[in-house]
Amino acid sequence: MSIAISRNNLVKGIDHHVGQMRFFSAISLLLLGVLSYFICQYLLLSPLTKINNKLLSLKCLHKEPQEPLAEQSELDRLNTSVDTLENVLKQQAEREQQLNKARLDAETANKSKAEFIATMSHEIRTPLNVILGALEILEEEPLTQHGQKFTVSAHNAAKILLSQLNDILDYSKLDSGKAILNNTSFSPFQMAQSIIAIFADQAQQKGITLQLNSTLSTNNYVLGDEGKSSQILTNLLGNAIKFTDSGSISINLKSNIYKGKQAITFSVTDTGIGIDNNKIQSILSPFVQSDASFSRRYGGAGMGLAISQALVHLIGGELEITSELHQGSTFSFTLQLEPTSAPLKISDEHTLNNTKHQAATILLVEDSPSNQMIAKAILAKNGFNVATANNGKEAVAALENTSYDLILMDLQMPEMNGFEACTCIRDLHNNKSDIPIIAMTANVSQQDQVQCLSVGMDDFLTKPINKMKMLEVLHHWLGRNHSHKTVS
């Protein structure tokens, strides 16, 4: 048996299969190449393109001339983008340095402002303490009815001035939200009456009718910040009188009960020059008036409404203004206040008749002769024996030779200030080192109060001195000192 194979057919079969293998291999490689392209495009090239485009978008921040992008290759474009990013980062670093410098400058300016405010507060409060003290003493002297009227008016005006000074000096606190509310019992009706009394003569001179319209009685007391409420009404009424040449001005008080509280609306209505509606918001900014010529004609710095706006916000209200040019204006705000009873009033005589400390000896440490005179007069009138020292050094020397029941200590004095004097007294190695020391100063900041306590002072009184507050503090510490000595 024989088998025969055709070589030609075998070769043709092999060539056919090899051709098929080549075809399928080529197709597979082509598909693999296409797949690789799309994978690279999706995973690598597309993100790089997006990054490049974003980098190129930074060119607006880089102001140096650049080569036209159309004439650059993709790698050159990417390189240009990286250079742009580097320049932008450098510019950003420079801006951050500038901002840091501006921040340091602002902090320095704020520190200077704080020091200026503290200095002005002390310098203004010192003479104001003499004014208020002298008027308070005069009110207790036998005067004619005419003289008594002027003394009371001057005393009320001085107290309003003190309230205004407090609010103006605390304007930075209002901006920063650090101002503190003092809730006391007061009568809105009586408060409005006292404010009207301040401006009565001024209104009469201009021929303006000044009146109070109220649905509240004089015995309607609420719990709130009387000082700040009084300051707002004082500013609003002062502005009304300033910008009203004829007609009438009224303070209006309306009350409604809302959620268990008394919603009291305070408003001041005048028949003055009015305000253009387009300028109502601008006048609430500090140092701004609706017309620059007003500052020349009417005077003022344009601070009243700005302070009033800040104070109204602080005590939980909103200042509303309605006005018509040449017809008049109405300024109003509503406060939610808690109804309360009238404050307990204790006369000086009642206080003194119920204390055993009238004959106590007090060392008054004060460098101002006028402030010494006022403080001595008030203390002596209330039965205290008073010795004086002109500075801390004299106070320490006096305490080494004489015994005192209490020391009233000013802070800013020559040779030795109050802080240094208190430290020296607390370091004395005898039974005089625990004598009550009360700061009595025109420095009114929280920092000063903390520093006083840190050096060993027992209490803090601010100038101008409130007589009843001072007597209350004196009796409190004299009583504690007496009890301590008795127990010892």
Side-chain angles (χ1 to χ4, degrees):
M1 183 179 66
S2 64
I3 299 173
I5 298 176
S6 173
R7 180 182 177 187
N8 292 333
N9 290 334
L10 182 60
V11 170
K12 287 181 181 180
I14 292 173
D15 289 341
H16 177 72
H17 287 296
V18 168
Q20 287 182 336
M21 291 177 65
R22 287 176 177 173
F23 175 77
F24 286 116
S25 296
I27 292 297
S28 299
L29 290 173
L30 180 62
L31 292 175
L32 182 61
V34 172
L35 181 62
S36 299
Y37 171 78
F38 282 108
I39 291 175
C40 291
Q41 181 70 25
Y42 178 76
L43 296 179
L44 183 63
L45 296 179
S46 180
L48 284 177
T49 301
K50 290 180 180 179
I51 292 173
N52 192 28
N53 290 334
K54 288 182 179 179
L55 292 175
L56 290 173
S57 67
L58 297 175
K59 65 182 180 180
C60 60
L61 302 177
H62 184 58
K63 299 181 180 180
E64 293 182 4
Q66 299 179 358
E67 180 182 349
L69 297 179
E71 301 176 4
Q72 295 179 340
S73 65
E74 190 66 27
L75 288 177
D76 290 337
R77 283 161 56 89
L78 182 60
N79 185 59
T80 300
S81 300
V82 172
D83 291 340
T84 300
L85 177 61
E86 182 181 3
N87 290 324
V88 168
L89 292 176
K90 288 181 179 179
Q91 292 177 2
Q92 184 66 25
E94 292 175 356
R95 289 193 185 97
E96 289 178 358
Q97 291 179 354
Q98 293 172 355
L99 289 174
N100 187 53
K101 183 178 181 301
R103 179 182 61 82
L104 294 176
D105 291 343
E107 290 176 352
T108 302
N110 283 335
K111 184 178 179 181
S112 299
K113 182 180 72 173
E115 292 175 351
F116 171 77
I117 290 175
T119 301
M120 290 304 299
S121 173
H122 183 274
E123 294 303 320
I124 295 175
R125 285 174 183 276
T126 298
L128 192 56
N129 180 60
V130 178
I131 294 171
L132 280 166
L135 290 171
E136 200 164 85
I137 293 172
L138 279 176
E139 284 184 346
E140 298 175 357
E141 295 296 321
L143 300 173
T144 64
Q145 184 177 0
H146 195 60
Q148 186 72 20
K149 175 184 176 182
F150 278 106
T151 302
V152 172
S153 295
H155 194 192
N156 289 335
K159 289 191 289 186
I160 292 294
L161 175 61
L162 175 61
S163 178
Q164 292 175 340
L165 171 65
N166 289 336
D167 290 322
I168 291 174
L169 295 178
D170 288 341
Y171 190 73
S172 58
K173 291 183 180 180
L174 294 172
D175 284 339
S176 60
K178 296 181 180 179
I180 299 174
L181 290 174
N182 298 311
N183 286 330
T184 57
S185 176
F186 73 99
S187 166
F189 184 88
Q190 294 179 21
M191 179 188 72
Q193 275 188 323
S194 65
I195 294 173
I196 285 180
I198 297 298
F199 294 97
D201 290 341
Q202 188 176 349
Q204 185 177 8
Q205 291 174 3
K206 297 185 72 172
I208 300 171
T209 301
L210 193 56
Q211 57 189 7
L212 171 61
N213 303 317
S214 176
T215 61
L216 286 78
S217 68
T218 184
N219 295 320
N220 192 158
Y221 286 86
V222 293
L223 192 64
D225 195 316
E226 181 180 11
K228 291 179 175 55
S229 301
S230 174
Q231 174 63 26
I232 297 167
L233 277 182
T234 300
N235 286 341
L236 296 181
L237 185 57
N239 265 4
I241 290 180
K242 181 191 297 185
F243 296 112
T244 301
D245 295 325
S246 62
S248 64
I249 300 173
S250 63
I251 292 181
N252 310 291
L253 305 180
K254 295 182 180 179
S255 174
N256 294 300
I257 300 300
Y258 179 76
K259 294 183 178 181
K261 291 189 175 182
Q262 203 165 354
I264 302 179
T265 300
F266 302 81
S267 64
V268 176
T269 302
D270 65 66
T271 57
I273 61 176
I275 308 167
D276 191 333
N277 288 332
N278 296 328
K279 297 180 178 179
I280 287 180
Q281 289 303 317
S282 64
I283 63 173
L284 296 176
S285 300
F287 308 109
V288 174
Q289 293 184 341
S290 61
D291 191 327
S293 63
F294 287 178
S295 60
R296 295 191 296 271
R297 179 180 176 186
Y298 297 101
M303 280 292 293
L305 288 179
I307 294 174
S308 298
Q309 170 86 324
L311 289 173
V312 169
H313 284 167
L314 177 65
I315 58 182
E318 183 68 34
L319 184 62
E320 298 180 359
I321 305 174
T322 58
S323 183
E324 186 176 348
L325 203 59
H326 307 304
Q327 298 298 321
S329 306
T330 296
F331 295 81
S332 62
F333 60 97
T334 301
L335 302 179
Q336 306 287 339
L337 301 172
E338 193 79 32
T340 187
S341 57
L344 180 63
K345 294 184 178 180
I346 303 177
S347 66
D348 294 358
E349 292 76 16
H350 179 79
T351 302
L352 292 175
N353 289 335
N354 287 276
T355 182
K356 300 178 181 180
H357 312 303
Q358 297 102 313
T361 301
I362 295 175
L363 177 61
L364 174 64
V365 189
E366 170 67 64
D367 64 319
S368 169
S370 54
N371 278 318
Q372 274 191 19
M373 177 185 67
I374 295 299
K376 285 181 66 176
I378 294 175
L379 293 171
K381 191 176 181 64
N382 286 278
F384 295 101
N385 297 318
V386 185
T388 60
N390 297 309
N391 54 59
K393 189 175 181 180
E394 291 185 11
V396 175
L399 197 62
E400 291 176 349
N401 302 318
T402 310
S403 294
Y404 301 97
D405 296 298
L406 183 141
I407 298 176
L408 286 173
M409 181 81 72
D410 191 15
L411 297 185
Q412 292 190 7
M413 296 179 292
E415 296 192 47
M416 180 184 287
N417 61 39
F419 300 114
E420 297 168 339
C422 182
T423 301
C424 291
I425 293 171
R426 294 307 185 209
D427 290 338
L428 292 175
H429 299 291
N430 52 39
N431 58 357
K432 299 178 182 179
S433 62
D434 60 351
I435 182 174
I437 302 176
I438 300 172
M440 189 171 70
T441 175
N443 295 7
V444 297
S445 70
Q446 186 67 29
Q447 182 180 357
D448 291 319
Q449 296 185 35
V450 171
Q451 189 176 0
C452 285
L453 297 177
S454 68
V455 298
M457 293 189 184
D458 297 292
D459 215 325
F460 191 93
L461 290 172
T462 60
K463 294 177 182 177
I465 297 299
N466 180 290
K467 183 180 69 174
M468 292 304 298
K469 175 65 176 176
M470 180 176 68
L471 293 175
E472 177 186 343
V473 171
L474 291 179
H475 296 321
H476 170 76
W477 288 105
L478 287 170
R480 289 190 59 172
N481 194 40
H482 176 76
S483 299
H484 176 73
K485 290 179 179 178
T486 302
V487 173
S488 300

